[in-house]
Amino acid sequence: MTEARTNLAFGKKRKQHVLILASGEKVRHVTIRPLLVIPTLLIILVMSLGFIGSTAYLVFRDDMLGAMIARQSRMQKDYEDRIAALRSQVDQITSRQLLDQQAVEKKVETLLAQQNALSFRHGRANELLNEEDTRSAPDEQSVTPSANPFAPQKKASLSGGASAIDRALRGAEKGSTLKGSLTYSDNRDAVSGRALTRMLVSLNRIESDQLGRIASLTIGAKSRADAMADIIRSTGLKIDDKADDAVGGPFVEASTNPFQASLADLDNALDRLETVRGTAERLPLGNPAPGRDITSRFGNRMDPFLGRPALHTGIDFRAETGADVRATGAGTVSFAGYSGGYGNMVEVDHGKGVTTRYGHLSQILVRTGEKIELSDVIGKAGSTGRSTGPHVHYEVRLNDEAVDPMRFLVAGTELKTYLQ
């Protein structure tokens, strides 16, 4: 019993184990010593663990390398995305600055163009205003607003309009220097943009003021021309200030520039005013004997020699012998000599079929064909011809037909303020 137990306990009995390996006829015996089994198993275990550990390490290392590579890839991608975002921001800032620069330059160019236009308009308007001021300067002192509505408008335009235009142009000239010195930082761009906008608004306001004043001048010139034309027509003389002449030519569409259109209207109004003024200046609107009383008017009266009704074709002014007799308008002497009942007479042709006669002169001071002006002394009062005493006989004839000279005397009084 004890021996069996001893045999069952492996290792208790020091017996060698023989491993028989048979291959065909060959038989090999391998003796396995118990003391070598455990170390061999340990070595195998260690090698297995080492192999497993190495494999695990290599696998884990590959995972770590993959994770590191993936992390680096993500970091690189994030870095590239950040760089791309920064580049996009830089491009946006650059584009915005470029757009701001272009906008500012466009505003400056607009400002300069408007400045040049205002300079041209200022010069053109000054030409018209100075021309009208030269023609009509006395009117501002002698014409009431009701009689001459154009005078106060013209005066306001000359004083207020020119000074306002000058101020705008000086501001525009200061603004024109911005083009070479503008910087494009955000703050300065904003300031420059606001400044240019204010200047453009100011120039637009001045432009509107110019148009308004030119419109006032145009209306005033038309009103004055109409008033003068009506006065001239009251004398019985037809004035063709609105007649349509024979015209022609190719069609060219008119400019849509409001300033050019307003200047064209003003030019037309001033041309018409000049035409009416020229007509009035050639008419006999003066007085042949200033300050003298009228002793006999135009129309039917009792003839002083025959004592029966007769037509008196002129008006008589009381004047002593030798008193000056003056031309009532510019013209050409068409007759100077003795003429029957007129005695010594001077006849002056004023054009448009209008002539004047000055009779009973004691002395004639002009010759036929001589050019004379308003208020020139053409002779001396007397009593030659069919006359009862020294006086000035004055006639106005339209197409060789006697008309009442009082029409022209009254018209001359009304037009005097427009012609001085």
Side-chain angles (χ1 to χ4, degrees):
M1 186 84 176
T2 304
E3 184 179 356
R5 291 180 181 175
T6 303
N7 293 335
L8 293 176
F10 181 79
K12 294 297 183 178
K13 188 178 181 179
R14 298 182 178 272
K15 291 182 177 180
Q16 295 181 350
H17 297 277
V18 178
L19 179 62
I20 299 173
L21 299 176
S23 175
E25 295 179 354
K26 294 181 180 181
V27 177
R28 296 180 64 182
H29 298 272
V30 178
T31 302
I32 301 175
R33 297 181 177 83
L35 295 176
L36 296 177
V37 173
I38 295 176
T40 302
L41 292 176
L42 290 175
I43 292 172
I44 293 173
L45 179 61
V46 170
M47 291 178 64
S48 299
L49 292 175
F51 177 76
I52 294 173
S54 299
T55 304
Y57 170 74
L58 292 175
V59 172
F60 180 72
R61 185 180 129 188
D62 290 340
D63 292 340
M64 289 182 62
L65 289 175
M68 290 178 63
I69 293 173
R71 181 181 177 188
Q72 289 179 352
S73 299
R74 288 194 302 271
M75 291 177 62
Q76 183 177 358
K77 187 176 183 303
D78 292 341
Y79 180 72
E80 291 177 351
D81 292 342
R82 179 60 177 165
I83 291 177
L86 291 175
R87 286 179 178 174
S88 178
Q89 291 180 0
V90 171
D91 292 340
Q92 289 178 358
I93 293 174
T94 304
S95 300
R96 187 179 66 180
Q97 289 178 346
L98 182 60
L99 292 175
D100 290 343
Q101 177 180 354
Q102 292 175 350
V104 171
E105 288 180 351
K106 185 176 181 180
K107 285 185 179 180
V108 171
E109 291 176 357
T110 303
L111 178 64
L112 293 177
Q114 195 163 6
Q115 175 190 350
N116 293 332
L118 283 174
S119 299
F120 168 76
R121 296 173 183 181
H122 182 49
R124 182 70 180 106
N126 270 347
E127 291 177 4
L128 295 174
L129 294 175
N130 291 336
E131 180 181 359
E132 182 59 26
D133 185 47
T134 301
R135 295 172 180 172
S136 309
D139 295 349
E140 296 177 3
Q141 299 176 354
S142 57
V143 181
T144 61
S146 59
N148 183 17
F150 180 61
Q153 296 173 357
K154 177 181 65 60
K155 184 175 181 180
S157 297
L158 288 172
S159 60
S163 60
I165 295 171
D166 288 334
R167 288 194 300 271
L169 291 178
R170 285 196 297 269
E173 289 170 358
K174 292 179 181 178
S176 64
T177 60
L178 291 174
K179 189 169 184 179
S181 61
L182 285 175
T183 58
Y184 300 104
S185 64
D186 293 340
N187 293 335
R188 293 184 180 179
D189 281 349
V191 173
S192 300
R194 287 195 297 269
L196 289 174
T197 300
R198 286 196 297 269
M199 294 182 71
L200 289 174
V201 170
S202 177
L203 289 179
N204 289 333
R205 185 167 55 249
I206 295 301
E207 182 177 6
S208 299
D209 184 66
Q210 277 185 331
L211 293 175
R213 293 180 184 277
I214 290 176
S216 297
L217 283 172
T218 303
I219 294 173
K222 290 180 179 178
S223 299
R224 168 179 268 198
D226 290 340
M228 294 178 65
D230 290 341
I231 293 173
I232 293 173
R233 291 190 185 96
S234 68
T235 65
L237 182 67
K238 294 181 179 180
I239 177 172
D240 298 331
D241 62 304
K242 294 183 179 179
D244 292 332
D245 296 329
V247 295
F251 172 78
V252 179
E253 189 172 356
S255 172
T256 57
N257 188 319
F259 184 82
Q260 295 296 336
S262 62
L263 275 186
D265 290 341
L266 180 57
D267 278 334
N268 293 334
L270 291 178
D271 287 343
R272 178 170 174 259
L273 178 60
E274 182 61 24
T275 299
V276 176
R277 191 197 306 274
T279 301
E281 289 174 348
R282 289 190 297 270
L283 292 178
L285 302 176
N287 192 318
R292 305 287 180 170
D293 294 335
I294 296 175
T295 57
S296 181
R297 294 181 178 273
F298 175 88
N300 294 325
R301 68 174 183 177
M302 297 300 295
D303 183 79
F305 291 96
L306 301 177
R308 61 185 183 184
L311 175 65
H312 186 218
T313 57
I315 55 177
D316 295 336
F317 292 88
R318 180 180 289 111
E320 67 278 5
T321 301
D324 290 339
V325 178
R326 300 181 179 275
T328 58
T332 303
V333 177
S334 56
F335 180 84
Y338 193 86
S339 179
Y342 288 101
N344 292 327
M345 183 192 74
V346 173
E347 183 180 67
V348 179
D349 184 0
H350 302 278
K352 294 186 178 295
V354 181
T355 58
T356 53
R357 292 179 179 180
Y358 310 81
H360 310 308
L361 302 177
S362 62
Q363 186 180 359
I364 296 175
L365 301 179
V366 293
R367 298 187 303 272
T368 301
E370 183 177 346
K371 300 288 185 180
I372 60 174
E373 300 296 332
L374 173 65
S375 298
D376 285 351
V377 178
I378 59 175
K380 300 292 183 178
S383 186
T384 58
R386 197 168 184 271
S387 171
T388 61
H391 68 283
V392 178
H393 175 81
Y394 174 60
E395 286 186 15
V396 177
R397 289 181 171 266
L398 183 58
N399 297 323
D400 204 29
E401 181 180 351
V403 296
D404 189 356
M406 286 302 300
R407 298 179 186 174
F408 290 84
L409 290 174
V410 173
T413 301
E414 294 177 350
L415 288 173
K416 183 178 181 181
T417 55
Y418 293 95
L419 299 175
Q420 289 179 343

